[in-house]
Amino acid sequence: MDVDELLKSYSAGERNFTQVSLHSANLSEVCLAGINLASANLTQATLSQANLQGANLIEANLTAASLWRTNLSQANLIWANLKAANLIRANLTQVDLHKASLFQADLRLANLRNADLSGVNLAGADLRYANLSGAFLAGANLRGANLTGANLSRTDLSHAILTKAIFFKTDLRYVDFTEVDLTGLDLSYCFVSRESLPIQDFLEVG
């Protein structure tokens, strides 16, 4: 199926496009709200500024896809592969990214407020100035991620991996750090509340 066929079928009311192959397809600025693209191949596809609100993208392959300013709010991306994807300024509010791979993805200025990021792989991801407030990050892998200026207030980071992550002017107020190894991290330039991080631990980390 090519792009024209998909758009024609979608316009006619069809929503089920599971396992479709759209490698390198250009779907920028199109409205595909509520579409079912489970297990679809969207490797290197261009979806910039597209509307994918509420879309089903379970186990979809979006490796190196362009999702700049894409609306993925409330989408289902469980087990999706977004390795090295461009998600700059993407709307990912209330998205379900449980066990998804965002390895080395670019999420600068992305909105991940109240997203389910449990068990997600964000190793090496660029999260500078992203909004993750209220997100569920239990068990997430943030090894080497850049969180400069990011808002992580009221997030659940229990059991997360933060080894070599970069924290600078990061909002860490009211964060759940249960069972998190903070050894070697410099949080001295971050916003940290007593409720989320005991003052003695904070002094030892910085």
Side-chain angles (χ1 to χ4, degrees), residues 107-193:
L107 289 144
R108 284 174 292 168
L109 297 162
N111 189 348
L112 291 143
R113 187 167 48 86
N114 297 322
D116 185 347
L117 296 159
S118 55
V120 72
N121 183 5
L122 282 159
D126 191 343
L127 287 151
R128 283 177 289 173
Y129 302 99
N131 183 3
L132 295 114
S133 61
F136 185 53
L137 283 149
N141 182 1
L142 287 150
R143 183 186 300 270
N146 190 340
L147 291 148
T148 298
N151 181 1
L152 276 78
S153 62
R154 303 185 185 280
T155 59
D156 185 342
L157 278 168
S158 57
H159 303 277
I161 300 171
L162 300 178
T163 308
K164 296 183 178 180
I166 300 170
F167 291 93
F168 181 73
K169 294 187 177 180
T170 309
D171 191 342
L172 296 169
R173 287 175 289 190
Y174 308 106
V175 172
D176 184 350
F177 283 108
T178 303
E179 297 297 325
V180 176
D181 185 2
L182 298 169
T183 305
L185 296 179
D186 183 1
L187 305 181
S188 56
Y189 293 97
C190 296
F191 306 101
V192 183
S193 61

Side-chain angles (χ1 to χ4, degrees), residues 37-45 47 57-67 76-87 96-105 120-121:
L37 288 166
S39 301
N41 179 9
L42 292 157
T43 306
Q44 297 181 331
L47 293 147
L57 288 153
I58 292 177
E59 296 186 326
N61 188 351
L62 289 145
T63 301
S66 178
L67 295 150
N76 190 338
L77 284 149
I78 294 174
W79 289 99
N81 186 354
L82 291 139
K83 178 181 177 181
N86 178 354
L87 288 147
D96 192 343
L97 280 157
H98 174 68
K99 291 288 186 178
S101 176
L102 286 154
F103 177 72
Q104 294 186 340
V120 72
N121 183 5

